Amino acid sequence: MPQHVVVVGAGVIGLSSAILLQQARYTVTIVARDFPAPFETMDPLTKINYTSPWGGAHNRWVPPHPSLPATLAREHAFSLRTYTHMQNLHASHPDTAGITFLKGVEYLERPGPEHLALSTPSNPNALNLPGNFRLLEESEFPADGGRVKWGCEYDTWCVNPMVYCSFLLRRFVHRGGRVVARELRRPEEVFAMIGSELGGNDGEAVAAVVNASGTGLVPDPDMTITRGQTCLVAEDCDATVTRQNADGSWTFCVPRGFEGGTVIGGTKEVNNWDVKPSMEVRAELLKKFGETYPKILGEKGELTVVRDIVGRRPTRNGGPRVEGEVMPGAGFVMHAYGLGGRGYELSWGVAEAVVEGVEAQIRGAEARL
Ligand SMILES: Cc1cc2nc3c(=O)[nH]c(=O)nc-3n(C[C@H](O)[C@H](O)[C@H](O)COP(=O)(O)OP(=O)(O)OC[C@H]3O[C@@H](n4cnc5c(N)ncnc54)[C@H](O)[C@@H]3O)c2cc1C
Ligand SMILES: *[C@@H]1O[C@H](CO)[C@@H](O)[C@H](O)[C@H]1NC(C)=O
Ligand SMILES: *[C@@H]1O[C@H](CO)[C@@H](O)[C@H](O)[C@H]1NC(C)=O
């Protein structure tokens, strides 16, 4: 009989994990407080703790480097795996998955060692990034008096988050996945739920629980949030452009595609819980992006605001937590949370690690019988 795995969370991490677990022939139920819904009806006041709707979301490489935290190497490997999955999903479902492939352009005012290493191909740290990675010539930098010091472009992907997540949910259910809308106090609660509460038969045991609860409810002392304010505009853009400013702030755009407009961003404010967008910040974001990439302004010469966005990136001290844990008196919990500002970027790599963790646990348990 197939083993039953319950995934807590229906953000991008829970959904991707659920699909790969299902592919690995487990019976899978998703239990979550929030599920994907049209972005247009998503209420920021009640859904602020559900991060996935408020993301961009694009893929931008963050190369590992000996001078940076070692956890970045695993994250980078996750992002490469995600890239491959996105290519495949886009190829098989170009009109429905919510994925767009386009140029990613980066302009850095203060490039770190990980980027400078990419400029010296003979350097052993130089990475073979996919997507026709190319360094920009100085003549291709924004004309603003030499503030940009380093630039590159490559083919990358963006998703329209709620189109994409709804696609994942639909695919999961179409393939026999079960969903239960429920708020839990702790992920271990699932082990005490009876089969019928999980959409199955009474007496059906849960072999493993995946904790993909994002910002979560039970405080992990290492968890906090990083507030992000962005602004959705109606204009399309031909690239996802990211600029690192000398003061450490970021100016970027993420075209959502599928008539979802373009996200102009964005702030990164650790431990700021303010749910209200600031109008001064909006004006600043739009002004800076217009200066960086004037092409987006078109003939009208200005951007058309659709709505302001505030989101909470589930941030964890020490990096994402993707590991298994046996909870005494409950069962095996596979954690997959704390993805910060990279949940979409790393999603399929994390999901593969979740399947590996669950398989190792279940095989181990069977061997002990
Ligand atoms: C402004 C902004 C821009 C971003 N841009 C990008 C980008 O360009 N690229 C990128 O990769 N990432 C980006 N991100 C980050 C990305 O959005 C997040 O990393 C990702 O959405 C996190 O997904 P998650 O599944 O871990 O959590 P969530 O989406 O928060 O999902 C958590 C799930 O767990 C459920 N849950 C939580 N607690 C409970 C409970 N007690 N009981 C039941 N269910 C529960 C929730 O209901 C929900 O279903 C951005 C984020 C922001 C805010
Ligand atoms: C979001 O989470 C915070 C911290 O757990 C909580 O105080 C707040 O009530 C939650 N907001 C909503 C709208 O659920
Ligand atoms: C599950 O994940 C949340 C983050 O969403 C974390 O705070 C919590 O500690 C985890 N649960 C357990 C039981 O470890």
Side-chain angles (χ1 to χ4, degrees), residues 8-15 30-36 47-60 157 161-162 165 182-187 211-218 226-230 240 252 254 263 266-267 309-314 336-347:
V8 177
V12 65
I13 299 300
L15 292 165
I30 298 178
V31 179
R33 184 188 54 221
D34 310 292
F35 282 91
K47 298 293 179 191
I48 185 73
N49 292 327
Y50 182 31
T51 304
S52 290
W54 315 117
H58 66 179
N59 170 63
R60 185 181 159 257
W157 54 263
M162 283 300 97
C165 287
R182 179 84 60 89
E183 176 151 2
L184 303 166
R185 300 300 289 270
R186 308 183 67 91
N211 182 13
S213 57
T215 52
L217 252 196
V218 187
T226 303
R227 181 181 185 272
Q229 180 177 335
T230 60
T240 174
F252 61 83
V254 182
V263 167
T267 65
I309 298 176
V310 173
R312 295 176 170 171
R313 302 177 182 92
Y337 65 88
L339 277 302
R342 307 192 70 192
Y344 284 91
E345 239 163 53
L346 308 187
S347 54

Side-chain angles (χ1 to χ4, degrees), residues 186-188 211 213-216 218-220 223 321 325 327 335 337:
R186 308 183 67 91
E188 311 95 285
N211 182 13
S213 57
T215 52
V218 187
D220 165 342
M223 279 297 287
R321 185 168 186 211
E325 181 184 8
M327 305 238 130
H335 298 291
Y337 65 88

Side-chain angles (χ1 to χ4, degrees), residues 17-42:
S17 301
I19 284 178
L20 292 195
L21 284 163
Q22 195 175 46
Q23 231 158 272
R25 311 211 176 281
Y26 293 103
T27 298
V28 185
T29 301
I30 298 178
V31 179
R33 184 188 54 221
D34 310 292
F35 282 91
F39 181 71
E40 294 67 33
T41 63
M42 196 58 78

Side-chain angles (χ1 to χ4, degrees), residues 40-126:
E40 294 67 33
T41 63
M42 196 58 78
D43 177 357
L45 293 180
T46 58
K47 298 293 179 191
I48 185 73
N49 292 327
Y50 182 31
T51 304
S52 290
W54 315 117
H58 66 179
N59 170 63
R60 185 181 159 257
W61 303 119
V62 183
H65 189 268
S67 67
L68 297 174
T71 52
L72 279 181
R74 191 183 191 203
E75 291 182 30
H76 184 63
F78 285 162
S79 69
L80 290 169
R81 290 299 305 149
T82 305
Y83 191 87
T84 302
H85 277 266
M86 290 295 188
Q87 280 179 313
N88 294 340
L89 269 181
H90 176 62
S92 59
H93 296 79
D95 302 325
T96 48
I99 304 165
T100 309
F101 268 81
L102 76 184
K103 276 285 178 234
V105 178
E106 298 189 21
Y107 304 124
L108 308 187
E109 293 191 19
R110 253 188 6 194
E114 73 280 20
H115 285 101
L116 294 175
L118 299 177
S119 323
T120 46
S122 59
N123 185 313
N125 298 322

Side-chain angles (χ1 to χ4, degrees), residues 179 232-233 299 359:
V179 293
L232 182 67
V233 301
E299 280 173 13
E359 301 227 289

Side-chain angles (χ1 to χ4, degrees), residues 43-49 54 225-231 267 269 272-283 285 307-312:
D43 177 357
L45 293 180
T46 58
K47 298 293 179 191
I48 185 73
N49 292 327
W54 315 117
I225 55 144
T226 303
R227 181 181 185 272
Q229 180 177 335
T230 60
C231 182
T267 65
E269 305 156 76
N272 180 343
W273 295 75
D274 193 356
V275 298
K276 283 197 318 293
S278 141
M279 290 307 106
E280 293 77 58
V281 168
R282 177 215 274 184
L285 294 175
R307 71 191 274 189
D308 298 291
I309 298 176
V310 173
R312 295 176 170 171

